[in-house]
Amino acid sequence: MTRRRGKKRTNPLIYVALVAASLFAILPLLWGLSTSFKSESATLSDQGWIPAQFTFENYRLVLFESKIPLYLGNTLLVAGLTVIATIVIAIFGAYAAARFRFRGKTTSMFLILMTSMIPGIAILVPLYFLAVSLGLYDTYAVMVIIYTAWQIPTVIWMLKGFFESIPDSIEEAGRVDGASHWRVMVQLIFPLAVPGIAAAAVISFIYVWNDFLIASTMISTDDKRLVAVGLYNYLSQYGVVWGQLTAAVVVTIIPIILVFVLMERRIVAGLSAGATKG
């Protein structure tokens, strides 16, 4: 009886709310997936969720007669370089913030966090003129630099909490064995931080993948467009053709789904461990 009373009863309204939220997020995706397999005439006449007649013509047009594959390649390149640059820079800053004690540490971390709260559109014009002045406008480099600068504060705070969750005894044991501070950091601490690093990398990747503001402002050459802007231009060029629109959306969503499926465990482990401290 004591054990039964000790168990907390879960409110069924919580499950109802979770199911409702899940349906709210999934139903538009399912509608898009269904529409992508319909012909253009069927998108207006066939209102059912299951197409009366399946067709892959929309996917053929998107993959072989549009620039969507080129936009996907551009986005993968920029996102990959951004993730590498962000993690390399932020990992050392987060480690220093978690392990070292120095004057002004709290103020510095607060100021770093404040930079991530500045709306991107507020500094878009100065960034544009700066890119033009430096000769970086309409290049992949300017997007990588801006994305990296905007992601570093958030990633530093994420990894800081993860590093603080790693026991200090591990570093002390390494120093007792004669390992240098650099060796302890690289060979002992960083491998343990892989889940947190993976979670931060995925968040940075998704940020670049979904961005429209910077990608539309800093790039003017169509062949250098990222997928968010390229998808918009593709639609504006051919008009609102719902079958091709939804097929293009499905194609651009697949990489994000694959990233989550392949790194689900590391993402959950990294976010939960980093939330314990910090």
Side-chain angles (χ1 to χ4, degrees):
M1 293 295 293
T2 304
R3 292 180 180 179
R4 292 180 180 177
R5 291 178 180 177
K7 293 182 179 179
K8 295 182 179 179
R9 294 183 178 179
T10 304
N11 191 339
L13 294 178
I14 296 178
Y15 292 103
V16 174
L18 291 175
V19 171
S22 300
L23 291 176
F24 182 79
I26 293 175
L27 286 179
L29 297 177
L30 294 178
W31 175 85
L33 181 63
S34 172
T35 306
S36 67
F37 290 106
K38 297 178 181 179
S39 63
E40 185 57 27
S41 59
T43 57
L44 301 177
S45 59
D46 184 5
Q47 300 299 322
W49 285 87
I50 300 177
Q53 184 176 0
F54 281 84
T55 178
F56 291 93
E57 179 66 12
N58 296 320
Y59 287 95
R60 187 190 68 81
L61 294 173
V62 167
L63 293 175
F64 301 105
E65 296 188 14
S66 74
K67 291 187 177 181
I68 291 297
L70 177 62
Y71 301 148
L72 288 173
N74 296 339
T75 310
L76 287 173
L77 175 63
V78 174
L81 294 176
T82 300
V83 168
I84 294 173
T86 301
I87 295 300
V88 169
I89 297 174
I91 194 172
F92 292 102
Y95 180 80
R99 288 291 190 260
F100 299 158
R101 295 182 180 179
F102 52 89
R103 183 177 298 178
K105 172 181 172 180
T106 303
T107 303
S108 300
M109 294 302 299
F110 178 72
L111 292 175
I112 290 174
L113 183 62
M114 283 182 60
T115 59
S116 64
M117 302 177 184
I118 300 175
I121 197 170
I123 57 176
L124 187 60
V125 174
L127 285 175
Y128 174 82
F129 283 108
L130 184 61
V132 173
S133 300
L134 296 176
L136 295 175
Y137 178 74
D138 198 25
T139 63
Y140 296 134
V142 68
M143 289 190 290
V144 172
I145 293 172
I146 294 175
Y147 290 144
T148 301
W150 279 2
Q151 286 298 293
I152 283 177
T154 303
V155 175
I156 284 179
W157 272 89
M158 285 184 58
L159 295 180
K160 174 180 175 292
F162 193 89
F163 284 135
E164 288 178 344
S165 67
I166 299 176
D168 296 337
S169 58
I170 296 178
E171 295 185 46
E172 295 174 358
R175 295 192 185 97
V176 169
D177 292 338
S180 63
H181 191 82
W182 173 263
R183 186 177 178 184
V184 168
M185 181 175 58
V186 174
Q187 296 186 357
L188 295 181
I189 302 301
F190 287 176
L192 295 176
V194 168
I197 295 173
V202 170
I203 291 176
S204 299
F205 182 87
I206 294 175
Y207 174 84
V208 177
W209 195 271
N210 293 331
D211 175 72
F212 182 87
L213 183 64
I214 296 300
S216 61
T217 305
M218 296 298 172
I219 295 295
S220 59
T221 303
D222 188 52
D223 289 343
K224 295 181 180 179
R225 299 285 188 188
L226 300 192
V227 68
V229 182
L231 182 62
Y232 174 80
N233 287 346
Y234 170 80
L235 295 174
S236 62
Q237 179 180 358
Y238 294 97
V240 183
V241 183
W242 291 108
Q244 295 180 34
L245 164 61
T246 52
V249 170
V250 171
V251 170
T252 57
I253 289 176
I254 290 176
I256 298 296
I257 296 176
L258 291 177
V259 169
F260 270 106
V261 171
L262 295 175
M263 304 186 68
E264 177 185 3
R265 293 183 179 180
R266 293 188 181 275
I267 294 172
V268 174
L271 293 177
S272 59
T276 57
K277 289 189 178 183

